[in-house]
Structures are given as C-alpha cells and as structure tokens.
Amino acid sequence: MMSRIAQMYEFACRVVLLVLVVHIAFLVFSLAGLVILGVFPAFSATIATYRAWVRDVKDRRWSVKQTWKLFFRFWKDDLVWANILGYPLTLIAVFLFVDYMLVNNNYLGAPTYAVSGILLLLNVVYSLFATLVWVVRANFDEDFFWILKQTLTLVIVRPLCSLMLMIVLLLVLFSYAKWPGLALAFGTSVPLFAVVVVVYSFARLPGMDIHVLEPNPKFAKKRNQQRSL
C-alpha cells in the first residue's frame, strides 16, 4: 500500500515538473519568435509535447532535458504552419466574441434573445473547434482542409469528449481566477495539458486512444470471452 502511494506521489511530482518545464519553454520560445511569430508555434509545440508524453506509455519519467529538446523540435518544425493556422483562428474568435457582446449590450427587441443564444452556441462550438484542431494537427500528418474537417467531425461525433473538455477547462479557469498565482506559475501549460489528456481519454483518435495504448485488462478479458461465445 505504501509503495503504491509512493509511486503515485512520484508520478504526480513528475507531471508537475513536466507542466512547469513546458510552461517555461512556452515563454522562452514565444519570446524567441518575438511573440508575434513565436507564440502560435509555442502553442502547437505544447500540444505536440503533451501528445508525445501521453503516448509514451512505457516510460513517462521524462527528464527536463528530454522535454526541452522535444519542445524545441516541435516548435521549429511548426514555425510556419502554426502561424498560418493561429492568426485566422484568433481573428474569427475575436469576431464572434465581439458580435456576441454587441448583441448582449444592445437590446433590439425579442429577436435579441434568439440571436444571443445562437451566437453563444457558435462561440462555444468554435472554442472547442479552435482548441481541438491543434491536437488533431499534432496527431495526423494530413493536409490543412483534412485537419479542419476531422476536427469539426470530432466536435460533433464525440459529445462526451466535448463535454468533458468544457468542464475541465472551466475548472482550470475557475482555479486560475481563485488562485492567480497558479496562472502565473503554469500559464497555458495546465489547460493545454488538460486538453490533451481529455482527448487521449475520450476522443478515441487513432494513434492517441487510451483504450488501445493502455487497455484495461478486465475489459480486454471480457471482450475475449464474448468473442469466444
């Protein structure tokens, strides 16, 4: 029992270290690209680093050096692509949010409520899409439009994943609002780690599926018994 607790404590400490190192790398490489050219590649590299970590089922005891080198490689590889994707996504997000705020601050009669509801739904769906597209891009080496189509499909056909993603991100935002020091210490690293873990657990993406990479022995045994019947 004590051995199990010690292993869990060590694993938790290593996760905290991983998230902290990735956060520092995010800041350093964002500045390395003068922020304008560096922040979106750093965002993409964060997702790609966490994806590599969850897939490394045999050994997740990464060293600081290993994490840093992998982050830099992903950042460098996505220096152009991430900016091509990141800025349009951000502009659309700003447009939708401004429209939503304008509708809510300018009453134009009964239709205002319907329009406000539609815009709220669009903002939620788009936020999920704009978050998940980075994970899909990190997981599949496909063309731009295939990535967009696959991401939209993921948002629609995996409602449990979308729901869990919203819940987890809201919890992170609540924690950051209640304890601002956490936001300073971990920044975007914690929410992006949460995104990757949720996708790994619920999205069932090929090559990034916990049910395939870490199958539960009890469920596997049950399935084998059903097949034998």
Side-chain angles (χ1 to χ4, degrees), residues 6-180:
Q7 290 177 357
M8 292 175 64
Y9 177 75
E10 180 191 6
F11 179 75
C13 290
R14 289 188 178 276
V15 170
V16 172
L17 179 61
L18 172 77
V19 172
L20 182 60
V21 171
V22 170
H23 173 54
I24 295 172
F26 181 94
L27 295 176
V28 170
F29 289 107
S30 293
L31 292 174
L34 302 178
V35 180
I36 295 175
L37 296 177
V39 65
F40 288 117
F43 193 94
S44 180
T46 299
I47 293 288
T49 301
Y50 286 146
R51 173 190 173 272
W53 182 81
V54 296
R55 280 173 45 82
D56 195 3
V57 178
K58 293 183 179 179
D59 185 14
R60 288 177 176 149
R61 296 174 298 176
W62 286 15
S63 65
V64 172
K65 182 180 180 181
Q66 181 181 0
T67 304
W68 191 272
K69 288 178 66 176
L70 196 62
F71 188 101
F72 173 66
R73 180 164 66 83
F74 288 136
W75 180 85
K76 184 175 62 174
D77 290 346
D78 266 358
L79 196 57
V80 175
W81 189 94
N83 283 303
I84 292 174
L85 177 65
Y87 280 104
L89 285 176
T90 304
L91 289 174
I92 295 172
V94 171
F95 175 77
L96 288 174
F97 180 74
V98 169
D99 277 358
Y100 176 71
M101 295 304 294
L102 286 174
V103 169
N104 279 274
N105 288 286
N106 294 276
Y107 181 72
L108 300 174
T112 302
Y113 299 108
V115 174
S116 176
I118 293 171
L119 286 173
L120 176 60
L121 179 61
L122 281 175
N123 273 275
V124 171
V125 172
Y126 182 76
S127 297
L128 290 171
F129 173 86
T131 302
L132 290 172
V133 71
W134 299 96
V135 185
V136 175
R137 169 64 178 83
N139 194 61
F140 297 105
D141 185 17
E142 298 289 346
D143 63 78
F144 184 78
F145 292 103
W146 189 95
I147 295 295
L148 298 181
K149 179 182 177 182
Q150 187 66 26
T151 304
L152 184 59
T153 302
L154 175 61
V155 173
I156 296 171
V157 304
R158 293 285 185 261
L160 179 59
C161 178
S162 298
L163 177 62
M164 291 302 298
L165 191 57
M166 287 189 290
I167 293 173
V168 169
L169 290 179
L170 285 174
L171 287 173
V172 173
L173 290 176
F174 173 78
S175 300
Y176 276 10
K178 190 172 181 61
W179 299 288

Side-chain angles (χ1 to χ4, degrees), residues 177-193:
K178 190 172 181 61
W179 299 288
L182 290 176
L184 292 174
F186 297 105
T188 59
S189 193
V190 168
L192 294 185
F193 179 79

